[in-house]
């Protein structure tokens, strides 16, 4: 929860029409897009001049979100976005904990801004860049935090079907359809309320998860063929090379969720997926764990990343083989 004096300060800013920009993290996921668009649809009803600026493109499986077509893409429309950011009187940064999560280019612009800013986020170790910080790792999604934030502002009457659709999207995606440990009774109460606003929860689930291309399923098949077991470390990992991605006409979002398959094997409590990005010259890594093993710490310490206790990401500047060798060496070291 935000402090009362912080809420009062934000309420007084919102009392008259403002130029407001809302920003998700780079490579935005369902929670990042759902939370930014959910808040956008609230603030628009209050006659503010609101834009969502995403650092880069969002995946196709989120392109049905209400007014996602109005989201500006920083890396595609640099000058327009920079001008809007510089004129903004209030900036919300949602679902990330450090400005570098927007990418180098956007971070450089954000660092120069002096507007009042509000961070709402559930990742560990938030940076202190915002005027008002609502950070709480107990939440399973930023969408659920935005839901509580709207209530704190006394704006719950503005949660209509459109807002509810956006917020539900982030809650369902970040909770793995309500199965991850941070799914609480409060989550279900929140969702019960959203359903009462008239959303079609089953259809949203369908749009999110039963909308794959044929190629995406073939890519999943390839990823599962590449799955390796390291039983001595209760670990599995998957690799995907750039050539494999190309073979299946890889589209943004196609690899989303594949990492979770590595945890679905009995006795496995740590998994990773290593995805080669030839153009950026990096291996992008996602980590997942079950139980106490803290993948946020692991990603921070060894792979230039971070995230949550059971879900984190990072990157490596070595090639794929070297990265895997390093990963296995670290496991051997950590086991000792
Ligand atoms: P995913 O593996 O789904 O990309 O990300 C899992 C979680 O870790 C997300 O909450 C995401 O924001 C965070 N994360 C992913 N990659 C990075 C990274 O490179 N750095 C940091 N700090 N967090 C990351
Ligand atoms: Mn999130």
């Amino acid at each position: 929860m935000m402090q009362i004096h912080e809420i009062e300060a934000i309420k007084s800013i919102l009392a008259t029409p403002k130029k407001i920009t809302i920003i998700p993290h780079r490579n935005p996921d369902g929670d990042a897009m759902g939370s930014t668009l959910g808040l956008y649809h609230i603030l628009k009803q209050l006659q503010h001049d609101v834009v969502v600026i995403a650092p880069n493109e969002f995946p196709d499986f989120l392109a049905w979100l209400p007014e996602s077509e109005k989201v500006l893409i920083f890396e595609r429309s640099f000058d327009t976005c920079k001008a809007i950011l510089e004129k903004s009187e209030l900036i919300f940064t949602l679902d990330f904990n450090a400005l570098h999560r927007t990418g180098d280019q956007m971070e450089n612009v954000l660092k120069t801004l002096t507007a009042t800013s509000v961070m709402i986020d559930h990742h560990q170790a938030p940076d202190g860049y915002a005027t008002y910080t609502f950070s709480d790792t107990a939440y399973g999604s930023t969408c659920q935090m935005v839901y509580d934030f709207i209530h704190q502002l006394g704006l719950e009457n503005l949660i209509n079907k459109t807002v509810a659709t956006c917020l539900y999207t982030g809650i369902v995606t970040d909770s793995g359809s309500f199965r991850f440990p941070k799914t609480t009774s409060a989550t279900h109460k929140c969702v019960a309320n959203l359903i009462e606003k008239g959303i079609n929860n089953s259809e949203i689930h369908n749009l999110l998860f039963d909308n794959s291309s044929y190629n995406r399923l073939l890519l999943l098949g390839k990823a599962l063929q590449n799955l390796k077991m390291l039983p001595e470390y209760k670990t599995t990992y998957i690799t995907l090379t750039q050539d494999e991605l190309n073979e299946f006409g890889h589209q943004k979002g196609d690899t989303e969720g594949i990492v979770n398959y590595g945890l679905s094997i009995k006795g496995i409590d740590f998994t990773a997926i290593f995805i080669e990005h030839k153009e950026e010259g990096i291996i992008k890594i996602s980590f997942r764990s079950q139980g106490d093993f803290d993948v946020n710490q692991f990603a921070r310490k060894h792979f230039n990343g971070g995230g949550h206790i059971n879900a984190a990401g990072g990157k490596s500047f070595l090639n794929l083989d070297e990265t895997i060798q390093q990963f296995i060496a670290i496991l051997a070291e950590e086991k000792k």
Side-chain angles (χ1 to χ4, degrees):
M1 287 283 155
M2 277 195 135
Q3 306 269 313
I4 300 211
H5 71 271
E6 296 179 308
I7 285 293
E8 290 308 319
I10 296 167
K11 268 187 188 169
S12 81
I13 296 171
L14 294 177
T16 53
K18 291 288 179 322
K19 293 187 199 315
I20 302 176
T21 303
I22 311 175
I23 305 170
H25 55 78
R26 198 163 188 280
N27 298 324
D29 58 5
D31 191 31
M33 293 306 293
S35 59
T36 50
L37 283 168
L39 184 61
Y40 162 90
H41 287 290
I42 291 280
L43 296 174
K44 281 219 350 183
Q45 294 178 67
L46 295 169
Q47 314 310 322
H48 297 293
D49 180 1
V50 200
V51 256
V52 175
I53 300 183
N56 64 346
E57 305 286 342
F58 54 88
D60 253 6
F61 78 93
L62 299 170
W64 57 271
L65 279 168
E67 294 192 29
S68 64
E69 72 283 358
K70 297 210 176 130
V71 172
L72 298 179
I73 308 295
F74 184 88
E75 291 176 10
R76 204 200 303 149
S77 322
F78 179 84
D79 292 330
T80 311
C81 292
K82 184 165 183 274
I84 292 172
L85 283 166
E86 286 171 348
K87 287 201 192 100
S88 298
E89 297 163 281
L90 181 61
I91 295 174
F92 286 92
T93 69
L94 303 190
D95 200 36
F96 62 95
N97 56 356
L99 291 181
H100 67 79
R101 298 278 290 124
T102 61
D104 293 346
Q105 235 190 345
M106 191 161 177
E107 179 189 12
N108 285 334
V109 174
L110 294 179
K111 279 200 295 206
T112 66
L113 304 178
T114 54
T116 302
S117 57
V118 182
M119 176 208 280
I120 304 179
D121 179 54
H122 64 137
H123 294 89
Q124 300 197 332
D127 276 357
Y129 63 81
T131 319
Y132 303 108
T133 300
F134 177 19
S135 164
D136 190 343
T137 60
Y139 279 87
S141 66
T142 299
C143 278
Q144 195 184 328
M145 299 179 77
V146 168
Y147 176 87
D148 282 354
F149 178 65
I150 293 167
H151 280 76
Q152 274 202 286
L153 291 173
L155 299 175
E156 61 271 22
N157 290 337
L158 300 183
I159 302 180
N160 54 21
K161 184 177 172 183
T162 304
V163 173
T165 295
C166 296
L167 297 183
Y168 181 80
T169 292
I171 294 171
V172 80
T173 53
D174 260 27
S175 69
S177 304
F178 308 108
R179 75 185 190 275
F180 296 151
K182 284 176 187 171
T183 307
T184 62
S185 66
T187 311
H188 284 287
K189 281 175 190 155
C190 164
V191 164
N193 268 307
L194 299 179
I195 291 173
E196 281 171 10
K197 303 291 179 184
I199 63 166
N200 190 335
N201 50 306
S202 178
E203 185 187 305
I204 294 171
H205 204 278
N206 225 297
L207 287 165
L208 289 167
F209 299 110
D210 299 327
N211 233 341
S212 285
S213 63
Y214 179 56
N215 264 337
R216 182 182 178 265
L217 244 67
L218 295 184
L219 181 67
L220 170 62
K222 174 55 77 179
L224 294 178
Q225 282 175 9
N226 293 348
L227 176 69
K228 297 283 190 298
M229 283 274 276
L230 300 168
E232 65 275 41
Y233 308 123
K234 297 182 177 168
T235 297
T236 56
Y237 69 90
I238 290 173
T239 54
L240 281 172
T241 64
Q242 185 73 61
D243 284 347
E244 288 167 334
L245 295 170
N246 295 348
E247 183 186 345
F248 298 104
H250 170 257
Q251 302 288 314
K252 201 170 193 66
D254 278 358
T255 54
E256 196 93 18
I258 294 181
V259 63
N260 295 308
Y261 284 91
L263 273 188
S264 66
I265 297 175
K266 191 173 179 182
I268 296 301
D269 56 27
F270 180 38
T271 195
I273 187 168
F274 298 85
I275 301 174
E276 185 178 35
H277 288 249
K278 268 264 160 69
E279 213 170 281
E280 294 178 59
I282 60 165
I283 308 298
K284 182 75 188 100
I285 316 168
S286 290
F287 299 104
R288 298 291 186 269
S289 68
Q290 250 154 26
D292 297 337
F293 184 67
D294 184 344
V295 290
N296 165 58
Q297 288 301 331
F298 188 88
R300 257 170 216 280
K301 189 166 162 203
H302 303 292
F303 290 103
N304 316 291
H308 315 275
I309 292 179
N310 297 126
K315 52 184 175 287
S316 161
F317 302 99
L318 303 173
N319 71 29
L320 188 56
D321 287 342
E322 291 163 352
T323 302
I324 298 299
Q325 281 173 28
Q326 186 196 7
F327 176 66
I328 295 172
I330 293 166
L331 290 176
E333 188 57 35
E334 296 236 334
K335 196 177 180 187
K336 275 195 275 168

